[in-house]
């Protein structure tokens, strides 16, 4: 079997794994900006009685779109505002992207990061994320002219936000069609998963170097090892844990050496690459575009150097 036929069969398997209503399909190159202009909504408790601060990035053209639920780093303490470039670019490919903050604002005038972390632990973060998702499904019904296909919902996370994401999946995996783990960390990723869900595990070379912001044995390699197929592992060369962030947040990380970063000469190119890799996966799993998988499984179509690329689609059973 030729490689192109194999990729087509793999993509078809992923696309058919989850049925549902017809949604917008982006037919362009995932590594370019999508064809749709994007709007934003900020949802706060003081305005709309939202239990968690959230930002919505959505296509302005009325249509039916798949959905993405995003949790940021440090267990959700890194706010959605620091990922706006990445999230809005993903939305431009035809997705409603919901960034959710477990604590907003993160710091009070005199708080420390340790105090912010303790504040996050008041109450059950997992229940808060789940309740916010249910609230969004109700609240968003009449907020735009588009329809959100909640039966085509992916979870996307960064860093330790992936611990909460993994627990959401383990708590009710039938709600989600796919998952993307960006430089993940989780202490709960030690046992083989007893279910199948398409997943992309993404890592970067520098995140395990210096003061590691990705911990070996708990990061994307471990996620890939315990996950059942279908799954993809992709590791970018020469970039680090904070390089996905918007410029101001990246500058803080870079100057404090909180995580090892590259310099600022290639950040725009890198953010474009990350959104393209994520969008390729989401086009396949949520939009049902059969050829989109090749943009992250065929090394010739990946625009930046990668250190590791593995795929497993030979799934014998579907649970």
């Amino acid at each position: 079997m030729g490689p192109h036929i194999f990729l087509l069969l793999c993509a078809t398997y992923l696309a058919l794994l989850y049925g549902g209503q017809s949604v917008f399909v982006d037919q362009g190159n995932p590594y370019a900006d999508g064809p749709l202009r994007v709007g934003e909504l900020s949802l706060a408790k003081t305005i709309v009685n939202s239990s968690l601060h959230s930002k919505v990035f959505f296509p302005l053209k009325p249509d039916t779109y798949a959905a993405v639920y995003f949790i940021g780093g440090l267990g959700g303490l890194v706010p959605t505002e620091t990922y706006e470039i990445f999230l809005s670019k993903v939305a431009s490919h035809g997705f409603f992207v919901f960034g959710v903050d477990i604590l907003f604002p993160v710091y009070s005038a005199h708080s420390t990061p340790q105090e912010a972390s303790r504040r996050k632990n008041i109450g059950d973060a997992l229940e808060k994320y789940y309740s916010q998702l249910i609230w969004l499904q109700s609240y968003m019904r009449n907020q735009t002219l588009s329809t959100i296909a909640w039966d085509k919902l992916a979870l996307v996370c960064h860093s330790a936000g992936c611990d909460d994401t993994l627990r959401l999946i383990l708590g009710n995996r039938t709600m989600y069609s796919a998952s993307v783990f960006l430089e993940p960390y989780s202490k709960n990723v030690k046992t083989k998963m007893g279910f199948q869900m398409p997943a992309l595990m993404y890592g970067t070379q520098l995140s395990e170097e210096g003061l590691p912001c990705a911990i070996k044995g708990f990061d994307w390699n471990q996620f890939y090892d315990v996950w059942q197929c279908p799954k993809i592992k992709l590791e970018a060369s020469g970039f680090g844990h904070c390089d996905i962030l918007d410029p101001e947040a990246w500058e803080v990380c870079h100057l404090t050496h909180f995580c090892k970063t590259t310099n600022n000469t290639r950040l725009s190119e890198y953010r474009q690459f990350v959104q393209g890799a994520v969008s390729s996966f989401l086009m396949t799993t949520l939009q049902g575009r059969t050829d989109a998988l090749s943009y992250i499984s065929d090394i010739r179509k990946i625009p930046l150097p990668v250190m590791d690329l593995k795929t497993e689609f030979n799934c014998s059973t579907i649970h």
Side-chain angles (χ1 to χ4, degrees):
M1 181 184 299
H4 296 295
I5 296 177
F6 175 72
L7 287 174
L8 179 60
L9 290 175
C10 293
T12 302
Y13 167 78
L14 289 172
L16 295 179
L17 188 58
Y18 297 96
Q21 59 185 302
S22 176
V23 298
F24 173 89
V25 180
D26 179 5
Q27 299 293 349
N29 184 337
Y31 291 108
D33 286 342
L36 303 171
R37 291 193 303 118
V38 173
E40 296 181 16
L41 287 174
S42 292
L43 307 177
K45 185 173 184 178
T46 55
I47 301 174
V48 296
N49 202 31
S50 172
S51 59
L52 295 180
H53 180 270
S54 302
K55 290 206 71 171
V56 189
F57 304 87
F58 62 97
L60 292 173
K61 179 183 177 183
D63 208 323
T64 299
Y65 298 101
V68 174
Y69 196 68
F70 176 78
I71 299 175
L74 281 177
L77 292 177
V78 180
T80 298
E81 276 80 355
T82 63
Y83 297 93
E84 287 192 354
I85 295 174
F86 164 70
L87 296 176
S88 61
K89 285 179 178 291
V90 171
S92 74
H93 292 285
F95 303 98
F96 266 70
V97 180
F98 299 88
V100 181
D101 301 319
I102 193 65
L103 185 63
F104 187 90
V106 177
Y107 303 119
S108 67
H110 304 290
S111 68
T112 65
Q114 291 76 18
E115 288 168 340
S117 181
R118 286 195 295 269
R119 286 168 61 204
K120 182 216 169 179
N121 292 329
I122 297 174
D124 187 349
L126 187 64
E127 180 60 30
K128 291 179 180 179
Y129 281 125
Y130 179 78
S131 297
Q132 182 69 0
L133 175 58
I134 301 303
W135 180 84
L136 286 168
Q137 291 176 349
S138 174
Y139 177 79
M140 291 300 298
R141 284 176 187 154
N142 300 313
Q143 298 304 308
T144 72
L145 296 177
S146 293
T147 299
I148 304 172
W150 289 106
D151 64 324
K152 297 180 183 295
L153 170 64
L155 295 175
V156 179
C157 58
H158 183 230
S159 191
C162 295
D163 183 56
D164 288 327
T165 299
L166 179 61
R167 293 195 299 142
L168 282 172
I169 294 171
L170 294 175
N172 189 351
R173 65 180 182 270
T174 60
M175 288 188 64
Y176 318 109
S177 299
S179 56
V180 178
F181 301 103
L182 299 171
E183 303 171 284
Y185 164 82
S186 176
K187 60 186 177 183
N188 296 302
V189 66
K190 288 297 184 182
T191 305
K192 288 282 186 179
M193 300 300 161
F195 57 89
Q196 290 178 316
M197 174 187 293
L200 168 64
M201 291 76 176
Y202 175 84
T204 56
Q205 177 186 0
L206 301 182
S207 60
E208 289 185 335
E209 299 182 4
L211 177 63
C213 283
I215 302 173
K216 292 182 179 181
F218 301 92
D219 63 8
W220 60 90
N221 291 301
Q222 180 70 9
F223 271 78
Y224 186 84
D225 288 344
V226 303
W227 213 261
Q228 288 199 38
C229 73
K231 58 185 179 180
I232 303 174
K233 180 172 65 170
L234 175 64
E235 182 179 350
S237 176
F239 291 93
H241 205 64
C242 292
D243 293 336
I244 189 176
L245 300 176
D246 287 1
E248 290 185 2
W250 176 89
E251 188 75 19
V252 172
C253 184
H254 181 69
L255 293 177
T256 61
H257 304 287
F258 189 81
C259 300
K260 191 172 182 179
T261 61
T262 186
N263 59 45
N264 63 358
T265 61
R266 301 177 62 201
L267 291 178
S268 294
E269 180 185 12
Y270 176 70
R271 294 188 197 101
Q272 196 70 23
F273 167 74
V274 178
Q275 71 81 28
V278 172
S279 296
S280 302
F281 179 78
L282 297 177
M283 288 177 190
T284 302
T285 55
L286 300 186
Q287 295 181 353
R289 180 181 158 185
T290 56
D291 70 317
L293 182 65
S294 65
Y295 287 92
I296 46 175
S297 59
D298 185 344
I299 194 68
R300 296 167 297 181
K301 291 188 176 182
I302 299 175
L304 290 181
V306 298
M307 297 184 64
D308 192 13
L309 176 62
K310 290 184 180 179
T311 62
E312 185 177 333
F313 301 117
N314 186 22
C315 309
S316 57
T317 58
I318 301 175
H319 301 290

